[in-house]
Amino acid sequence: MSVLRLKLPTDPRWVNIVEKNIEEILTDHAWCEQKAATNAITIITNNSEHQDLVKDLLALAKEEIDHFEQVHNIIIKRGLKLGRERKDDYVNELYLYMKKNGNGSRVSSLVERLLFSAMIEARSCERFKVLSENIQDEELSVFYRDLMESEAGHYTTFITYARKYGVGIDVEKRWREWLEFEENIIKNYGKSETIHG
């Protein structure tokens, strides 16, 4: 996963925690997909003047909703229940970091939102890889391998648009700062049966 440039890999033993409560990981995962779709729509709403971004993020939002449906179908098929939306402390920490670091301009707000989104996709992609390689459940192993490729594409979309529209901002420097921040907070996670937990 060096392409994602994450500084701290997930301990594969996290999958042992996940396997003890498949219903919980699937519920949490479903809501992650729903929130990812909502996030893409929010970016579109606030930056509708960028036609290419609107087009690509519409496609991304549709894909995230499709993933939500796929996870929901697995939940139903297994006789499980989609629980209530889960709080995501990891994403909330990234969100606060994003809010604190924008300079108030529209360009800065867009770049920060795109890097925030890229960060979540990068870690989700890495977690899906760990799941696909370590989970004993064959159906879920294949499912997460397929999703991993999709998340990598989403990560690339967000980074590409941050670079394209981050006029006057050293996007590469900001991304390095995001990676350092994420390394510091991810140390506290990997202890629960949630995608980012």
Side-chain angles (χ1 to χ4, degrees), residues 30-130:
W31 290 115
C32 285
E33 299 293 355
Q34 179 272 325
K35 284 181 257 193
T38 302
N39 178 59
I41 296 295
T42 299
I43 296 171
I44 289 168
T45 304
N46 294 332
N47 303 279
S48 54
E49 69 275 20
H50 301 307
Q51 198 172 54
D52 54 350
L53 179 140
V54 170
K55 187 168 172 289
D56 284 346
L57 290 197
L58 273 172
L60 188 148
K62 286 178 188 171
E63 204 167 88
E64 300 287 21
I65 284 295
D66 180 57
H67 293 166
F68 179 93
E69 184 178 26
Q70 286 179 48
V71 180
H72 189 234
N73 287 341
I74 291 172
I75 289 170
I76 293 167
K77 185 173 129 190
R78 292 177 176 226
L80 305 173
K81 283 196 171 65
L82 174 66
R84 302 287 295 171
E85 182 187 344
R86 303 304 197 244
K87 188 174 166 213
D88 193 326
D89 292 327
Y90 167 81
V91 169
N92 288 337
E93 286 197 61
L94 294 180
Y95 183 80
L96 290 173
Y97 179 73
M98 171 187 77
K99 294 299 277 184
K100 194 176 78 179
N101 283 279
N103 66 16
S105 74
R106 290 197 71 227
V107 172
S108 171
S109 294
L110 173 58
V111 167
E112 288 302 307
R113 189 73 184 217
L114 291 168
L115 295 181
F116 160 79
S117 306
M119 192 80 257
I120 297 167
E121 296 288 352
R123 182 54 72 182
S124 299
C125 179
E126 190 260 357
R127 286 281 167 100
F128 291 167
K129 183 175 192 286
V130 172

